Amino acid sequence: MRKVCVWIDHSRAVVAAIDDGEESLENIASNVGPHTRAKGGSRTATAWGPQAPNEEHARERRYGHDLERFYLEVIRHIGQPDELVVMGPAQAKQELKAEIEDSLLREVHVVLETADEMTDPQVMARLRSFEIN
């Protein structure tokens, strides 16, 4: 029986697992960097003329691809769990759940929980107390 608990935000993930009584804990850094907004474009001298490009779309795509690579790395560390709980303070947990549903783990029932910043021992303690109802 493999139980896995993931605490995640856009900067890092903590993957705690209990596999037949053996506990493991891994920290994964995202290396995504901050989500920055592009500076505004500039208009031409012509009134109502076209706006110069500002690289916003390219930055958004690059940020999205970096996050997707991070989520796939976390999924690789999850393995094949029988029970899985994903926790985190913001939308990263929902984005990870969407990636899990698109991966080979789509049959695994994922329980989402909102949680503030947690230490590694707190994540492991939450995993030990986790039971699917």
Side-chain angles (χ1 to χ4, degrees), residues 89-123:
Q91 71 185 41
K93 63 184 175 290
Q94 294 157 344
E95 294 168 354
L96 177 62
K97 182 180 180 185
E99 287 293 329
I100 288 171
E101 290 170 350
D102 289 342
S103 73
L104 297 174
L105 295 178
R106 64 181 153 265
E107 300 298 321
V108 175
H109 176 68
V110 179
V111 175
L112 292 180
E113 291 184 5
T114 300
D116 285 334
E117 185 78 27
M118 297 176 78
T119 64
D120 294 352
Q122 288 174 323
V123 174

PDB file of all heavy atoms in Angstrom, residues 89-123:
ATOM      1  N   PRO A  89      -1.181  26.309  -0.698  1.00  0.00           N
ATOM      2  CA  PRO A  89      -1.873  27.543  -0.349  1.00  0.00           C
ATOM      3  C   PRO A  89      -2.645  28.186  -1.497  1.00  0.00           C
ATOM      4  O   PRO A  89      -3.532  28.987  -1.259  1.00  0.00           O
ATOM      5  CB  PRO A  89      -0.738  28.458   0.086  1.00  0.00           C
ATOM      6  CG  PRO A  89       0.434  27.974  -0.685  1.00  0.00           C
ATOM      7  CD  PRO A  89       0.246  26.493  -0.825  1.00  0.00           C
ATOM      8  N   ALA A  90      -2.339  27.871  -2.732  1.00  0.00           N
ATOM      9  CA  ALA A  90      -2.953  28.608  -3.846  1.00  0.00           C
ATOM     10  C   ALA A  90      -3.379  27.659  -4.959  1.00  0.00           C
ATOM     11  O   ALA A  90      -3.741  26.521  -4.686  1.00  0.00           O
ATOM     12  CB  ALA A  90      -1.963  29.648  -4.356  1.00  0.00           C
ATOM     13  N   GLN A  91      -3.321  28.112  -6.194  1.00  0.00           N
ATOM     14  CA  GLN A  91      -3.862  27.339  -7.291  1.00  0.00           C
ATOM     15  C   GLN A  91      -2.920  26.258  -7.804  1.00  0.00           C
ATOM     16  O   GLN A  91      -3.320  25.452  -8.643  1.00  0.00           O
ATOM     17  CB  GLN A  91      -4.257  28.257  -8.442  1.00  0.00           C
ATOM     18  CG  GLN A  91      -3.091  28.871  -9.181  1.00  0.00           C
ATOM     19  CD  GLN A  91      -3.553  29.852 -10.222  1.00  0.00           C
ATOM     20  OE1 GLN A  91      -4.475  30.621  -9.979  1.00  0.00           O
ATOM     21  NE2 GLN A  91      -2.933  29.818 -11.373  1.00  0.00           N
ATOM     22  N   ALA A  92      -1.695  26.179  -7.337  1.00  0.00           N
ATOM     23  CA  ALA A  92      -0.750  25.173  -7.816  1.00  0.00           C
ATOM     24  C   ALA A  92      -1.282  23.759  -7.575  1.00  0.00           C
ATOM     25  O   ALA A  92      -1.086  22.874  -8.401  1.00  0.00           O
ATOM     26  CB  ALA A  92       0.606  25.341  -7.144  1.00  0.00           C
ATOM     27  N   LYS A  93      -1.978  23.547  -6.459  1.00  0.00           N
ATOM     28  CA  LYS A  93      -2.519  22.212  -6.177  1.00  0.00           C
ATOM     29  C   LYS A  93      -3.569  21.819  -7.216  1.00  0.00           C
ATOM     30  O   LYS A  93      -3.638  20.661  -7.632  1.00  0.00           O
ATOM     31  CB  LYS A  93      -3.082  22.130  -4.765  1.00  0.00           C
ATOM     32  CG  LYS A  93      -4.245  23.048  -4.480  1.00  0.00           C
ATOM     33  CD  LYS A  93      -4.662  22.963  -3.014  1.00  0.00           C
ATOM     34  CE  LYS A  93      -5.727  23.952  -2.673  1.00  0.00           C
ATOM     35  NZ  LYS A  93      -5.283  25.337  -2.675  1.00  0.00           N
ATOM     36  N   GLN A  94      -4.372  22.780  -7.668  1.00  0.00           N
ATOM     37  CA  GLN A  94      -5.385  22.488  -8.683  1.00  0.00           C
ATOM     38  C   GLN A  94      -4.742  22.258 -10.046  1.00  0.00           C
ATOM     39  O   GLN A  94      -5.180  21.390 -10.808  1.00  0.00           O
ATOM     40  CB  GLN A  94      -6.401  23.631  -8.744  1.00  0.00           C
ATOM     41  CG  GLN A  94      -7.197  23.714  -7.464  1.00  0.00           C
ATOM     42  CD  GLN A  94      -7.791  25.088  -7.211  1.00  0.00           C
ATOM     43  OE1 GLN A  94      -7.373  26.066  -7.825  1.00  0.00           O
ATOM     44  NE2 GLN A  94      -8.741  25.154  -6.311  1.00  0.00           N
ATOM     45  N   GLU A  95      -3.693  22.998 -10.355  1.00  0.00           N
ATOM     46  CA  GLU A  95      -2.977  22.798 -11.609  1.00  0.00           C
ATOM     47  C   GLU A  95      -2.302  21.429 -11.621  1.00  0.00           C
ATOM     48  O   GLU A  95      -2.304  20.737 -12.644  1.00  0.00           O
ATOM     49  CB  GLU A  95      -1.950  23.903 -11.806  1.00  0.00           C
ATOM     50  CG  GLU A  95      -2.581  25.275 -12.008  1.00  0.00           C
ATOM     51  CD  GLU A  95      -1.581  26.413 -11.916  1.00  0.00           C
ATOM     52  OE1 GLU A  95      -0.400  26.168 -11.576  1.00  0.00           O
ATOM     53  OE2 GLU A  95      -1.983  27.558 -12.178  1.00  0.00           O
ATOM     54  N   LEU A  96      -1.726  21.008 -10.475  1.00  0.00           N
ATOM     55  CA  LEU A  96      -1.117  19.684 -10.388  1.00  0.00           C
ATOM     56  C   LEU A  96      -2.176  18.600 -10.560  1.00  0.00           C
ATOM     57  O   LEU A  96      -1.951  17.616 -11.267  1.00  0.00           O
ATOM     58  CB  LEU A  96      -0.384  19.502  -9.061  1.00  0.00           C
ATOM     59  CG  LEU A  96       0.239  18.116  -8.847  1.00  0.00           C
ATOM     60  CD1 LEU A  96       1.296  17.822  -9.901  1.00  0.00           C
ATOM     61  CD2 LEU A  96       0.821  18.003  -7.447  1.00  0.00           C
ATOM     62  N   LYS A  97      -3.341  18.775  -9.952  1.00  0.00           N
ATOM     63  CA  LYS A  97      -4.420  17.797 -10.102  1.00  0.00           C
ATOM     64  C   LYS A  97      -4.818  17.660 -11.570  1.00  0.00           C
ATOM     65  O   LYS A  97      -5.030  16.553 -12.061  1.00  0.00           O
ATOM     66  CB  LYS A  97      -5.631  18.180  -9.263  1.00  0.00           C
ATOM     67  CG  LYS A  97      -6.746  17.159  -9.358  1.00  0.00           C
ATOM     68  CD  LYS A  97      -7.945  17.524  -8.535  1.00  0.00           C
ATOM     69  CE  LYS A  97      -9.018  16.435  -8.705  1.00  0.00           C
ATOM     70  NZ  LYS A  97     -10.242  16.772  -8.028  1.00  0.00           N
ATOM     71  N   ALA A  98      -4.890  18.772 -12.289  1.00  0.00           N
ATOM     72  CA  ALA A  98      -5.226  18.732 -13.717  1.00  0.00           C
ATOM     73  C   ALA A  98      -4.162  17.963 -14.504  1.00  0.00           C
ATOM     74  O   ALA A  98      -4.495  17.165 -15.391  1.00  0.00           O
ATOM     75  CB  ALA A  98      -5.386  20.140 -14.262  1.00  0.00           C
ATOM     76  N   GLU A  99      -2.891  18.164 -14.173  1.00  0.00           N
ATOM     77  CA  GLU A  99      -1.816  17.422 -14.844  1.00  0.00           C
ATOM     78  C   GLU A  99      -1.892  15.938 -14.510  1.00  0.00           C
ATOM     79  O   GLU A  99      -1.632  15.095 -15.363  1.00  0.00           O
ATOM     80  CB  GLU A  99      -0.444  17.975 -14.453  1.00  0.00           C
ATOM     81  CG  GLU A  99      -0.114  19.299 -15.072  1.00  0.00           C
ATOM     82  CD  GLU A  99       0.074  19.245 -16.579  1.00  0.00           C
ATOM     83  OE1 GLU A  99       0.524  18.206 -17.107  1.00  0.00           O
ATOM     84  OE2 GLU A  99      -0.251  20.243 -17.229  1.00  0.00           O
ATOM     85  N   ILE A 100      -2.248  15.605 -13.261  1.00  0.00           N
ATOM     86  CA  ILE A 100      -2.387  14.200 -12.866  1.00  0.00           C
ATOM     87  C   ILE A 100      -3.505  13.551 -13.662  1.00  0.00           C
ATOM     88  O   ILE A 100      -3.374  12.418 -14.144  1.00  0.00           O
ATOM     89  CB  ILE A 100      -2.641  14.083 -11.347  1.00  0.00           C
ATOM     90  CG1 ILE A 100      -1.368  14.419 -10.577  1.00  0.00           C
ATOM     91  CG2 ILE A 100      -3.148  12.701 -10.972  1.00  0.00           C
ATOM     92  CD1 ILE A 100      -1.553  14.553  -9.085  1.00  0.00           C
ATOM     93  N   GLU A 101      -4.606  14.264 -13.837  1.00  0.00           N
ATOM     94  CA  GLU A 101      -5.743  13.719 -14.589  1.00  0.00           C
ATOM     95  C   GLU A 101      -5.408  13.530 -16.063  1.00  0.00           C
ATOM     96  O   GLU A 101      -6.019  12.704 -16.730  1.00  0.00           O
ATOM     97  CB  GLU A 101      -6.966  14.611 -14.413  1.00  0.00           C
ATOM     98  CG  GLU A 101      -7.525  14.540 -13.013  1.00  0.00           C
ATOM     99  CD  GLU A 101      -8.599  15.575 -12.723  1.00  0.00           C
ATOM    100  OE1 GLU A 101      -8.799  16.497 -13.549  1.00  0.00           O
ATOM    101  OE2 GLU A 101      -9.229  15.465 -11.661  1.00  0.00           O
ATOM    102  N   ASP A 102      -4.439  14.285 -16.580  1.00  0.00           N
ATOM    103  CA  ASP A 102      -4.005  14.124 -17.969  1.00  0.00           C
ATOM    104  C   ASP A 102      -2.910  13.070 -18.117  1.00  0.00           C
ATOM    105  O   ASP A 102      -2.572  12.694 -19.234  1.00  0.00           O
ATOM    106  CB  ASP A 102      -3.484  15.452 -18.523  1.00  0.00           C
ATOM    107  CG  ASP A 102      -4.595  16.466 -18.739  1.00  0.00           C
ATOM    108  OD1 ASP A 102      -5.772  16.048 -18.792  1.00  0.00           O
ATOM    109  OD2 ASP A 102      -4.288  17.667 -18.854  1.00  0.00           O
ATOM    110  N   SER A 103      -2.350  12.594 -17.003  1.00  0.00           N
ATOM    111  CA  SER A 103      -1.249  11.638 -17.058  1.00  0.00           C
ATOM    112  C   SER A 103      -1.770  10.213 -16.866  1.00  0.00           C
ATOM    113  O   SER A 103      -2.967   9.970 -16.848  1.00  0.00           O
ATOM    114  CB  SER A 103      -0.223  11.964 -15.970  1.00  0.00           C
ATOM    115  OG  SER A 103      -0.729  11.616 -14.703  1.00  0.00           O
ATOM    116  N   LEU A 104      -0.846   9.305 -16.695  1.00  0.00           N
ATOM    117  CA  LEU A 104      -1.204   7.905 -16.477  1.00  0.00           C
ATOM    118  C   LEU A 104      -1.809   7.664 -15.097  1.00  0.00           C
ATOM    119  O   LEU A 104      -2.327   6.585 -14.838  1.00  0.00           O
ATOM    120  CB  LEU A 104       0.030   7.011 -16.663  1.00  0.00           C
ATOM    121  CG  LEU A 104       0.630   7.016 -18.066  1.00  0.00           C
ATOM    122  CD1 LEU A 104       1.914   6.210 -18.094  1.00  0.00           C
ATOM    123  CD2 LEU A 104      -0.358   6.473 -19.076  1.00  0.00           C
ATOM    124  N   LEU A 105      -1.752   8.653 -14.211  1.00  0.00           N
ATOM    125  CA  LEU A 105      -2.305   8.524 -12.857  1.00  0.00           C
ATOM    126  C   LEU A 105      -3.765   8.946 -12.789  1.00  0.00           C
ATOM    127  O   LEU A 105      -4.316   9.114 -11.715  1.00  0.00           O
ATOM    128  CB  LEU A 105      -1.501   9.384 -11.871  1.00  0.00           C
ATOM    129  CG  LEU A 105      -0.054   8.999 -11.648  1.00  0.00           C
ATOM    130  CD1 LEU A 105       0.593   9.970 -10.689  1.00  0.00           C
ATOM    131  CD2 LEU A 105       0.054   7.591 -11.133  1.00  0.00           C
ATOM    132  N   ARG A 106      -4.427   9.110 -13.927  1.00  0.00           N
ATOM    133  CA  ARG A 106      -5.800   9.642 -13.928  1.00  0.00           C
ATOM    134  C   ARG A 106      -6.786   8.776 -13.164  1.00  0.00           C
ATOM    135  O   ARG A 106      -7.834   9.230 -12.774  1.00  0.00           O
ATOM    136  CB  ARG A 106      -6.275   9.893 -15.351  1.00  0.00           C
ATOM    137  CG  ARG A 106      -6.392   8.666 -16.208  1.00  0.00           C
ATOM    138  CD  ARG A 106      -6.859   9.048 -17.614  1.00  0.00           C
ATOM    139  NE  ARG A 106      -6.400   8.079 -18.583  1.00  0.00           N
ATOM    140  CZ  ARG A 106      -5.291   8.193 -19.303  1.00  0.00           C
ATOM    141  NH1 ARG A 106      -4.528   9.236 -19.148  1.00  0.00           N
ATOM    142  NH2 ARG A 106      -4.940   7.270 -20.165  1.00  0.00           N
ATOM    143  N   GLU A 107      -6.466   7.511 -12.915  1.00  0.00           N
ATOM    144  CA  GLU A 107      -7.354   6.616 -12.173  1.00  0.00           C
ATOM    145  C   GLU A 107      -7.234   6.809 -10.655  1.00  0.00           C
ATOM    146  O   GLU A 107      -8.060   6.315  -9.912  1.00  0.00           O
ATOM    147  CB  GLU A 107      -7.057   5.155 -12.527  1.00  0.00           C
ATOM    148  CG  GLU A 107      -7.249   4.841 -14.006  1.00  0.00           C
ATOM    149  CD  GLU A 107      -8.683   5.053 -14.473  1.00  0.00           C
ATOM    150  OE1 GLU A 107      -9.623   4.736 -13.721  1.00  0.00           O
ATOM    151  OE2 GLU A 107      -8.848   5.573 -15.595  1.00  0.00           O
ATOM    152  N   VAL A 108      -6.202   7.498 -10.215  1.00  0.00           N
ATOM    153  CA  VAL A 108      -5.967   7.713  -8.787  1.00  0.00           C
ATOM    154  C   VAL A 108      -6.887   8.813  -8.288  1.00  0.00           C
ATOM    155  O   VAL A 108      -6.978   9.885  -8.890  1.00  0.00           O
ATOM    156  CB  VAL A 108      -4.493   8.085  -8.528  1.00  0.00           C
ATOM    157  CG1 VAL A 108      -4.267   8.421  -7.060  1.00  0.00           C
ATOM    158  CG2 VAL A 108      -3.580   6.974  -8.969  1.00  0.00           C
ATOM    159  N   HIS A 109      -7.578   8.562  -7.179  1.00  0.00           N
ATOM    160  CA  HIS A 109      -8.431   9.581  -6.565  1.00  0.00           C
ATOM    161  C   HIS A 109      -7.537  10.574  -5.831  1.00  0.00           C
ATOM    162  O   HIS A 109      -6.748  10.211  -4.969  1.00  0.00           O
ATOM    163  CB  HIS A 109      -9.415   8.917  -5.592  1.00  0.00           C
ATOM    164  CG  HIS A 109     -10.250   9.908  -4.845  1.00  0.00           C
ATOM    165  ND1 HIS A 109     -11.209  10.684  -5.459  1.00  0.00           N
ATOM    166  CD2 HIS A 109     -10.251  10.274  -3.542  1.00  0.00           C
ATOM    167  CE1 HIS A 109     -11.770  11.463  -4.561  1.00  0.00           C
ATOM    168  NE2 HIS A 109     -11.201  11.239  -3.388  1.00  0.00           N
ATOM    169  N   VAL A 110      -7.662  11.867  -6.198  1.00  0.00           N
ATOM    170  CA  VAL A 110      -6.842  12.920  -5.613  1.00  0.00           C
ATOM    171  C   VAL A 110      -7.700  13.738  -4.664  1.00  0.00           C
ATOM    172  O   VAL A 110      -8.762  14.228  -5.038  1.00  0.00           O
ATOM    173  CB  VAL A 110      -6.259  13.839  -6.711  1.00  0.00           C
ATOM    174  CG1 VAL A 110      -5.424  14.946  -6.089  1.00  0.00           C
ATOM    175  CG2 VAL A 110      -5.444  13.040  -7.700  1.00  0.00           C
ATOM    176  N   VAL A 111      -7.242  13.875  -3.425  1.00  0.00           N
ATOM    177  CA  VAL A 111      -7.915  14.705  -2.435  1.00  0.00           C
ATOM    178  C   VAL A 111      -7.143  16.014  -2.336  1.00  0.00           C
ATOM    179  O   VAL A 111      -5.937  16.013  -2.110  1.00  0.00           O
ATOM    180  CB  VAL A 111      -7.960  14.001  -1.059  1.00  0.00           C
ATOM    181  CG1 VAL A 111      -8.558  14.918  -0.016  1.00  0.00           C
ATOM    182  CG2 VAL A 111      -8.712  12.694  -1.158  1.00  0.00           C
ATOM    183  N   LEU A 112      -7.841  17.143  -2.542  1.00  0.00           N
ATOM    184  CA  LEU A 112      -7.224  18.464  -2.439  1.00  0.00           C
ATOM    185  C   LEU A 112      -7.517  19.072  -1.085  1.00  0.00           C
ATOM    186  O   LEU A 112      -8.638  18.981  -0.593  1.00  0.00           O
ATOM    187  CB  LEU A 112      -7.763  19.400  -3.524  1.00  0.00           C
ATOM    188  CG  LEU A 112      -7.405  19.096  -4.960  1.00  0.00           C
ATOM    189  CD1 LEU A 112      -8.024  20.131  -5.878  1.00  0.00           C
ATOM    190  CD2 LEU A 112      -5.908  19.060  -5.164  1.00  0.00           C
ATOM    191  N   GLU A 113      -6.505  19.687  -0.486  1.00  0.00           N
ATOM    192  CA  GLU A 113      -6.666  20.393   0.779  1.00  0.00           C
ATOM    193  C   GLU A 113      -5.915  21.711   0.708  1.00  0.00           C
ATOM    194  O   GLU A 113      -4.807  21.770   0.186  1.00  0.00           O
ATOM    195  CB  GLU A 113      -6.103  19.575   1.944  1.00  0.00           C
ATOM    196  CG  GLU A 113      -6.885  18.336   2.264  1.00  0.00           C
ATOM    197  CD  GLU A 113      -6.331  17.622   3.495  1.00  0.00           C
ATOM    198  OE1 GLU A 113      -5.398  18.137   4.142  1.00  0.00           O
ATOM    199  OE2 GLU A 113      -6.835  16.542   3.790  1.00  0.00           O
ATOM    200  N   THR A 114      -6.505  22.755   1.255  1.00  0.00           N
ATOM    201  CA  THR A 114      -5.834  24.043   1.337  1.00  0.00           C
ATOM    202  C   THR A 114      -4.982  24.056   2.602  1.00  0.00           C
ATOM    203  O   THR A 114      -5.457  23.697   3.679  1.00  0.00           O
ATOM    204  CB  THR A 114      -6.857  25.183   1.379  1.00  0.00           C
ATOM    205  OG1 THR A 114      -7.637  25.119   0.183  1.00  0.00           O
ATOM    206  CG2 THR A 114      -6.172  26.535   1.449  1.00  0.00           C
ATOM    207  N   ALA A 115      -3.726  24.440   2.445  1.00  0.00           N
ATOM    208  CA  ALA A 115      -2.809  24.470   3.585  1.00  0.00           C
ATOM    209  C   ALA A 115      -1.792  25.577   3.379  1.00  0.00           C
ATOM    210  O   ALA A 115      -1.318  25.793   2.262  1.00  0.00           O
ATOM    211  CB  ALA A 115      -2.093  23.130   3.724  1.00  0.00           C
ATOM    212  N   ASP A 116      -1.466  26.279   4.449  1.00  0.00           N
ATOM    213  CA  ASP A 116      -0.423  27.298   4.389  1.00  0.00           C
ATOM    214  C   ASP A 116       0.936  26.615   4.290  1.00  0.00           C
ATOM    215  O   ASP A 116       1.031  25.397   4.208  1.00  0.00           O
ATOM    216  CB  ASP A 116      -0.476  28.180   5.633  1.00  0.00           C
ATOM    217  CG  ASP A 116      -1.651  29.154   5.592  1.00  0.00           C
ATOM    218  OD1 ASP A 116      -2.091  29.491   4.477  1.00  0.00           O
ATOM    219  OD2 ASP A 116      -2.130  29.551   6.664  1.00  0.00           O
ATOM    220  N   GLU A 117       1.978  27.417   4.347  1.00  0.00           N
ATOM    221  CA  GLU A 117       3.345  26.889   4.324  1.00  0.00           C
ATOM    222  C   GLU A 117       3.511  25.835   5.411  1.00  0.00           C
ATOM    223  O   GLU A 117       3.096  26.041   6.553  1.00  0.00           O
ATOM    224  CB  GLU A 117       4.328  28.035   4.556  1.00  0.00           C
ATOM    225  CG  GLU A 117       5.775  27.662   4.450  1.00  0.00           C
ATOM    226  CD  GLU A 117       6.244  27.521   3.015  1.00  0.00           C
ATOM    227  OE1 GLU A 117       5.682  28.153   2.127  1.00  0.00           O
ATOM    228  OE2 GLU A 117       7.199  26.759   2.819  1.00  0.00           O
ATOM    229  N   MET A 118       4.089  24.699   5.041  1.00  0.00           N
ATOM    230  CA  MET A 118       4.280  23.606   5.991  1.00  0.00           C
ATOM    231  C   MET A 118       5.738  23.162   5.987  1.00  0.00           C
ATOM    232  O   MET A 118       6.387  23.178   4.944  1.00  0.00           O
ATOM    233  CB  MET A 118       3.386  22.410   5.634  1.00  0.00           C
ATOM    234  CG  MET A 118       1.906  22.702   5.712  1.00  0.00           C
ATOM    235  SD  MET A 118       0.890  21.300   5.187  1.00  0.00           S
ATOM    236  CE  MET A 118       0.985  20.267   6.653  1.00  0.00           C
ATOM    237  N   THR A 119       6.228  22.738   7.147  1.00  0.00           N
ATOM    238  CA  THR A 119       7.562  22.173   7.234  1.00  0.00           C
ATOM    239  C   THR A 119       7.505  20.721   6.772  1.00  0.00           C
ATOM    240  O   THR A 119       6.429  20.119   6.684  1.00  0.00           O
ATOM    241  CB  THR A 119       8.095  22.236   8.671  1.00  0.00           C
ATOM    242  OG1 THR A 119       7.264  21.417   9.508  1.00  0.00           O
ATOM    243  CG2 THR A 119       8.121  23.666   9.197  1.00  0.00           C
ATOM    244  N   ASP A 120       8.662  20.142   6.498  1.00  0.00           N
ATOM    245  CA  ASP A 120       8.707  18.744   6.070  1.00  0.00           C
ATOM    246  C   ASP A 120       8.090  17.796   7.110  1.00  0.00           C
ATOM    247  O   ASP A 120       7.311  16.909   6.741  1.00  0.00           O
ATOM    248  CB  ASP A 120      10.146  18.333   5.756  1.00  0.00           C
ATOM    249  CG  ASP A 120      10.706  19.079   4.546  1.00  0.00           C
ATOM    250  OD1 ASP A 120       9.932  19.785   3.873  1.00  0.00           O
ATOM    251  OD2 ASP A 120      11.908  18.941   4.282  1.00  0.00           O
ATOM    252  N   PRO A 121       8.401  17.951   8.420  1.00  0.00           N
ATOM    253  CA  PRO A 121       7.760  17.074   9.411  1.00  0.00           C
ATOM    254  C   PRO A 121       6.234  17.229   9.464  1.00  0.00           C
ATOM    255  O   PRO A 121       5.519  16.260   9.700  1.00  0.00           O
ATOM    256  CB  PRO A 121       8.393  17.494  10.740  1.00  0.00           C
ATOM    257  CG  PRO A 121       9.701  18.090  10.368  1.00  0.00           C
ATOM    258  CD  PRO A 121       9.468  18.751   9.042  1.00  0.00           C
ATOM    259  N   GLN A 122       5.736  18.443   9.214  1.00  0.00           N
ATOM    260  CA  GLN A 122       4.284  18.638   9.202  1.00  0.00           C
ATOM    261  C   GLN A 122       3.637  17.906   8.029  1.00  0.00           C
ATOM    262  O   GLN A 122       2.557  17.335   8.167  1.00  0.00           O
ATOM    263  CB  GLN A 122       3.943  20.133   9.124  1.00  0.00           C
ATOM    264  CG  GLN A 122       4.209  20.887  10.396  1.00  0.00           C
ATOM    265  CD  GLN A 122       4.004  22.378  10.222  1.00  0.00           C
ATOM    266  OE1 GLN A 122       4.312  22.954   9.169  1.00  0.00           O
ATOM    267  NE2 GLN A 122       3.499  23.022  11.266  1.00  0.00           N
ATOM    268  N   VAL A 123       4.298  17.915   6.875  1.00  0.00           N
ATOM    269  CA  VAL A 123       3.772  17.195   5.714  1.00  0.00           C
ATOM    270  C   VAL A 123       3.746  15.697   6.002  1.00  0.00           C
ATOM    271  O   VAL A 123       2.759  15.002   5.719  1.00  0.00           O
ATOM    272  CB  VAL A 123       4.608  17.501   4.446  1.00  0.00           C
ATOM    273  CG1 VAL A 123       4.151  16.639   3.275  1.00  0.00           C
ATOM    274  CG2 VAL A 123       4.516  18.972   4.087  1.00  0.00           C
TER     275      VAL A 123
END
